Amino acid sequence: MTVALDHLDRLVAFETVSSRSNLDLVDWVAQRLASAGARITRVSNEAGEKECLVATMGPAREGGLMLSAHSDVVPVDGEVWTSDPFRLRRDGGRVVARGAADMKGFLACSLAAMEQIDAAALKRPVHLALSYDEELGCTGTDDLVDVLREAIPLPGIAIVGEPTLLRIVSAHKGARVYETEFHGRSAHSSQSHRGVSSNVHAARFIAMLDRHFDRLGEVRTAVADLQPPQTTFNVGLMTGGWALNIIPDFTRLVWEFRNIPEVDADQVEAEILGWIAATGLPEMQAQWSGARIETRRTANVPALDPAMNRAARDEVHRRTGCKGDDAVPFGTEAGFFQGMGVPTVVCGPGSIDVAHKPDEYVEIAQIERAERMLGDMIAWTAD
């Protein structure tokens, strides 16, 4: 096996599902890169059971290369695998394990490439940024961004190694997820004048969202492959009420919107919260002054705007031969780095079509090609 496959064999053995700690994996990665001469920065979450890591080789100056990976994987609960999901299994020209494609394959290639660096020859630095809880809606990426702002000079290019079959992706939608709770007042259903139905007011909120996103749907993206080509919303969960003859006093919605790069997510959020403050809540409190509507954002994935990524796309293509100016329907951490001012593309081994599924795999040829790609990009930092 290649060095990267050896590393992948070790990485998938760390059962870093998002509900568990990633500290053992981070320890192992940090030890390997420190031994290769990297400067290591680690920061833990508030509970202390997870860490993000930034490793740097080369001079402390702007304009370097940043490789980005997440340490967590999705659970295997309820899935039927033909082998142990946390043990790498070779199957002809592919290797099978949880995280093989999403996205420990890219992390393994990054480690193998960085361990070959002659730091003294670099004119620009090479960084590895390793996050946690990406699979929970990038909830750990804010901590990583804070570390990056403090620990390293601004990179010139970032590559996020999500599985794209090594095609260059320069655009995707953003996503924001919310929980909204409606607190009304219960009463017997025969005495509607005494109660405030949380279900009714939640339904009015959903109707407002439907109207609002219908209007936003008139704004179509210029990115040809981004489907559907407009900002969308979904109310995924709705719970409320206790019995048919009780006016419900509590309803909870879990909802999201996915914005095209041309639509400002902050503005969309402000408009919806503005409707709650100006219309939704006053309507409830007109019935009872103690009524409440509480909304909290639980996940935020910024959109990736292709207009800001031309330099990164062109340089990766020129150096590595990887092709594409693609758009993907799933979110990544790339928009966070673009928000820092770093031109960012998504390009990694494996296919998203097998991610999060039983017998997830990556083709060995993809791993070998990714190793060469990263070697070519690291050579760019020595020019």
Side-chain angles (χ1 to χ4, degrees):
M1 292 202 297
T2 68
V3 173
L5 284 174
D6 284 339
H7 289 347
L8 182 56
D9 181 65
R10 187 70 186 91
L11 287 167
V12 300
F14 295 108
E15 298 186 25
T16 52
V17 296
S18 301
S19 60
R20 297 187 180 187
S21 172
N22 72 340
L23 294 182
D24 288 344
L25 182 147
V26 174
D27 285 342
W28 186 79
V29 170
Q31 182 179 20
R32 292 205 67 93
L33 290 178
S35 297
R39 303 184 293 277
I40 306 295
T41 301
R42 299 170 61 168
V43 175
S44 66
N45 66 350
E46 186 174 339
E49 88 278 10
K50 296 180 182 180
E51 288 186 345
C52 57
L53 173 148
V54 178
T56 297
M57 302 181 74
R61 54 160 292 188
E62 292 187 352
L65 171 68
M66 184 171 74
L67 309 176
S68 166
H70 58 79
S71 60
D72 57 319
V73 296
V74 296
V76 298
D77 300 340
E79 296 182 342
V80 179
W81 287 67
T82 58
S83 58
D84 184 345
F86 297 105
R87 184 172 182 177
L88 197 68
R89 172 173 62 88
R90 188 160 185 161
D91 180 14
R94 62 182 58 164
V95 286
V96 179
R98 171 59 83 224
D102 186 15
M103 59 181 296
K104 290 179 177 179
F106 180 80
L107 176 56
C109 293
S110 299
L111 289 175
M114 291 184 71
E115 287 175 338
Q116 299 302 311
I117 290 175
D118 177 5
L122 298 183
K123 296 180 180 178
R124 287 168 285 199
V126 178
H127 314 281
L128 174 67
L130 183 62
S131 67
Y132 61 85
D133 287 356
E134 189 273 349
E135 297 290 5
L136 299 181
C138 296
T139 54
T141 311
D142 283 332
D143 288 343
L144 177 63
V145 169
D146 289 342
V147 175
L148 290 171
R149 292 185 189 278
E150 297 175 3
I152 67 172
L154 195 68
I157 293 175
I159 300 175
V160 177
E162 294 283 0
T164 67
L165 290 172
L166 292 172
R167 287 189 58 82
I168 299 171
V169 168
S170 58
H172 63 65
K173 289 185 179 182
R176 290 195 179 182
V177 182
Y178 302 85
E179 294 180 358
T180 299
E181 295 179 350
F182 297 80
H183 299 264
R185 183 165 64 174
S186 63
H188 193 282
S189 61
S190 67
Q191 298 178 318
S192 59
H193 62 292
R194 297 182 181 275
V196 180
S197 172
S198 57
N199 280 356
V200 167
H201 289 279
R204 292 176 181 173
F205 176 71
I206 294 173
M208 179 277 297
L209 290 177
D210 193 37
R211 294 190 301 269
H212 189 77
F213 285 96
D214 269 349
R215 291 192 296 271
L216 281 177
E218 297 172 4
V219 180
R220 298 300 175 104
T221 182
V223 182
D225 296 329
L226 205 53
Q227 297 296 326
Q230 71 268 16
T231 298
T232 61
F233 89 102
N234 180 54
V235 179
L237 292 172
M238 179 176 182
T239 57
W242 311 104
L244 175 63
N245 58 356
I246 301 174
I247 293 173
D249 62 354
F250 176 79
T251 305
R252 175 176 173 265
L253 306 180
V254 180
W255 58 280
E256 66 170 9
F257 69 82
R258 294 177 181 264
N259 60 295
I260 58 176
E262 293 88 343
V263 169
D264 185 338
D266 287 337
Q267 181 177 341
V268 175
E269 179 180 294
E271 290 167 350
I272 292 170
L273 295 181
W275 181 90
I276 291 174
T279 303
L281 183 59
E283 287 181 353
M284 286 192 78
Q285 291 183 338
Q287 296 178 266
W288 177 51
S289 61
R292 308 191 318 275
I293 302 176
E294 299 173 347
T295 296
R296 55 188 171 272
R297 187 203 302 169
T298 60
N300 173 39
V301 181
L304 185 62
D305 186 345
M308 299 175 63
N309 291 326
R310 301 305 181 202
R313 180 204 64 189
D314 292 347
E315 194 64 45
V316 173
H317 172 65
R318 186 173 73 86
R319 286 281 172 174
T320 69
C322 291
K323 298 179 180 180
D325 189 15
D326 297 354
V328 293
F330 56 89
T332 77
E333 294 173 308
F336 288 92
F337 308 135
Q338 189 178 76
M340 295 172 55
V342 182
T344 305
V345 295
V346 184
C347 186
S351 171
I352 196 66
D353 292 342
V354 301
H356 301 192
K357 294 182 179 180
D359 290 346
E360 176 184 346
Y361 68 87
V362 63
E363 299 285 349
I364 293 172
Q366 285 270 303
I367 293 293
E368 293 170 344
R369 187 178 164 206
E371 285 187 86
R372 294 193 298 271
M373 176 195 81
L374 294 179
D376 291 340
M377 287 307 302
I378 288 172
W380 167 77
T381 66
D383 287 353

